[in-house]
């Protein structure tokens, strides 16, 4: 298991200035890889996440409990295929395209549990919860069914709390120290998917 990419982004209008009705909707979901296997630049990690990274709405992203968003590279093939089919354009997403800070290899939602400790390089993190997608994810993917597809697939990724600050670089190894292992990220996703207000959730995502 290893860290493939560290990405960060700045808050900006989600839909661009050419959509005047939505120009005030801001997001930092457009993240760029700043450390990857080709250029493994060391990046500072603070209690609030990747140094220089921003979040537009701290009620749903960022802060101490959602400092780092992690996403497995293994799901990129799913998104490339889905988006290529739905947009009728060839899609090959760059690392960071799902809005994640850490793109990782070798660890999936079925294998990681709330409360587990992730050791990445010399730094330690705690697994907090899954990522819940919203309309901003649809806009980023340019596909109105993207958030629904994330919930249906279970390919949500998860948030980390930073226990130890310092520097990380792409290529750093990952190990997992199990916690109580009561609820996996996949379990959380399934519970969200099965909520009684599922129809209302779908309507809010579209």
């Amino acid at each position: 298991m290893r860290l493939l990419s560290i990405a960060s982004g700045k808050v900006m209008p989600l839909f661009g200035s050419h959509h005047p009705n939505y120009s005030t909707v801001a997001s930092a979901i457009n993240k760029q890889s700043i450390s990857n296997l080709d250029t493994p630049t060391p990046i500072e990690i603070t209690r609030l996440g990747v140094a220089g990274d921003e979040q537009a709405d701290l009620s749903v992203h960022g802060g101490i409990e959602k400092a780092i968003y992690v996403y497995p590279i293994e799901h990129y093939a799913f998104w490339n295929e889905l988006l290529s089919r739905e947009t009728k354009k060839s899609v090959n997403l760059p690392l960071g395209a799902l809005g994640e800070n850490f793109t990782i290899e070798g660890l999936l939602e079925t294998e990681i549990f709330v409360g587990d400790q992730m050791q990445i390089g010399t730094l330690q993190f705690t697994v907090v919860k899954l990522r819940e997608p919203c309309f901003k994810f649809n806009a980023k993917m340019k596909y109105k069914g993207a958030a629904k597809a994330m919930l249906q697939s279970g390919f949500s990724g998860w948030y980390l709390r930073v226990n130890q600050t310092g520097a990380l670089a792409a290529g750093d190894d990952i190990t997992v120290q199990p916690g109580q292992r009561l609820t996996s990220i996949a379990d959380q996703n399934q519970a969200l998917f099965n909520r009684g207000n599922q129809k209302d959730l779908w309507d809010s995502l579209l």
Side-chain angles (χ1 to χ4, degrees):
M1 298 180 287
R2 62 176 176 165
L3 177 64
L4 298 181
S5 169
I6 302 173
S8 70
K10 298 295 185 183
V11 174
M12 60 185 64
L14 179 63
F15 297 96
S17 58
H18 58 285
H19 288 281
N21 293 337
Y22 299 98
S23 61
T24 59
V25 179
S27 175
I29 195 171
N30 289 305
K31 300 196 185 297
Q32 304 295 319
S33 179
I34 55 176
S35 181
N36 49 64
L37 297 182
D38 290 332
T39 309
T41 306
I43 303 297
E44 182 185 359
I45 307 299
T46 74
R47 292 288 183 190
L48 294 177
V50 176
D53 188 46
E54 296 180 352
Q55 300 85 31
D57 185 352
L58 291 177
S59 68
V60 291
H61 302 290
I64 296 293
E65 293 300 296
K66 300 177 185 177
I68 300 285
Y69 175 39
V70 176
Y71 203 78
I73 187 67
E74 287 83 357
H75 302 329
Y76 266 69
F78 167 83
W79 290 110
N80 286 334
E81 180 180 353
L82 174 67
L83 296 173
S84 294
R85 182 177 71 244
E86 295 298 332
T87 65
K88 298 187 170 48
K89 298 177 182 177
S90 179
V91 173
N92 185 22
L93 297 172
L95 299 184
L98 280 297
E100 78 272 23
N101 301 111
F102 290 175
T103 311
I104 65 168
E105 179 181 59
L107 187 62
L108 302 177
E109 290 84 354
T110 53
E111 302 166 317
I112 194 77
F113 288 68
V114 174
D116 282 356
Q117 307 291 310
M118 286 181 65
Q119 186 83 22
I120 308 177
T122 61
L123 306 188
Q124 189 183 69
F125 306 83
T126 298
V127 177
V128 177
K129 64 171 296 183
L130 84 167
R131 181 259 189 98
E132 298 180 46
C134 66
F135 74 95
K136 294 181 180 181
F137 182 63
N138 292 343
K140 174 64 169 65
M141 295 294 102
K142 297 181 172 59
Y143 170 49
K144 69 178 183 178
K148 181 177 179 179
M150 178 173 276
L151 288 173
Q152 286 182 321
S153 65
F155 300 161
S156 64
W158 59 90
Y159 287 109
L160 299 177
R161 179 171 64 247
V162 180
N163 299 330
Q164 185 178 355
T165 61
L168 290 179
D172 282 344
D173 290 334
I174 299 173
T175 58
V176 175
Q177 300 170 14
Q180 290 186 303
R181 308 227 116 186
L182 300 176
T183 305
S184 70
I185 295 299
D187 292 336
Q188 280 195 333
N189 189 89
Q190 191 62 43
L192 179 63
F193 184 80
N194 290 335
R195 272 185 188 170
N197 63 347
Q198 181 176 323
K199 183 178 185 301
D200 292 338
L201 178 62
W202 293 157
D203 291 342
S204 71
L205 293 171
L206 297 176

